[in-house]
Amino acid sequence: MPDAILLSFIGLWLMAAASHKHCRESGVCDARAKRALRFLGSLALVLAFITCGTELTGERIVRALGAASVAGVALVLLLSFRPALAFAPLRRALALSRGRTPTTPSAARAVPARVSLAANSRGR
């Protein structure tokens, strides 16, 4: 049951990251990444359904709904408290997959402004 709760949490978390409301906090901007997150979230929810319980008399359905309920409540509480903190691991993974890290310097070098223009922009 704990594995089903964890898989349900991950699936719902990925679905929330792809939603319009949380796309800014999660760092997902393009439609291709949103589709990929929705697919991975759906896959995690299907895996959560498969791994919990047995096929006898609907036990699997009850356990899957219970695991999704516990994971959903935990995710809603986390997203209502600190959404940016909740999506920090996803932003980090997306930055690493794009080849950027927070410590990587920018490829473009800063060009210093001329002193006369920087000190007084009206001094022409």
Side-chain angles (χ1 to χ4, degrees):
M1 187 78 172
D3 57 342
I5 293 172
L6 182 64
L7 282 171
S8 296
F9 183 83
I10 291 171
L12 293 172
W13 180 67
L14 290 172
M15 295 276 217
S19 72
H20 180 70
K21 182 177 182 179
H22 297 293
C23 65
R24 185 172 293 160
E25 288 96 1
S26 64
V28 178
C29 298
D30 56 342
R32 186 175 175 191
K34 287 182 182 182
R35 279 193 303 269
L37 286 177
R38 286 186 187 127
F39 175 73
L40 290 173
S42 301
L43 186 66
L45 288 174
V46 167
L47 285 174
F49 179 74
I50 290 172
T51 60
C52 64
T54 60
E55 297 180 17
L56 298 173
T57 64
E59 178 188 359
R60 176 177 285 174
I61 295 170
V62 172
R63 286 186 181 215
L65 289 175
S69 299
V70 170
V73 167
L75 184 65
V76 165
L77 291 174
L78 181 64
L79 289 179
S80 65
F81 180 62
R82 297 261 174 131
L85 182 65
F87 292 120
L90 181 63
R91 281 194 314 271
R92 179 101 171 146
L94 287 173
L96 289 175
S97 71
R98 293 176 184 149
R100 290 180 281 172
T101 59
T103 59
T104 304
S106 175
R109 298 195 61 113
V111 178
R114 291 193 330 216
V115 177
S116 61
L117 291 178
N120 186 2
S121 62
R122 294 185 183 184
R124 294 183 195 192

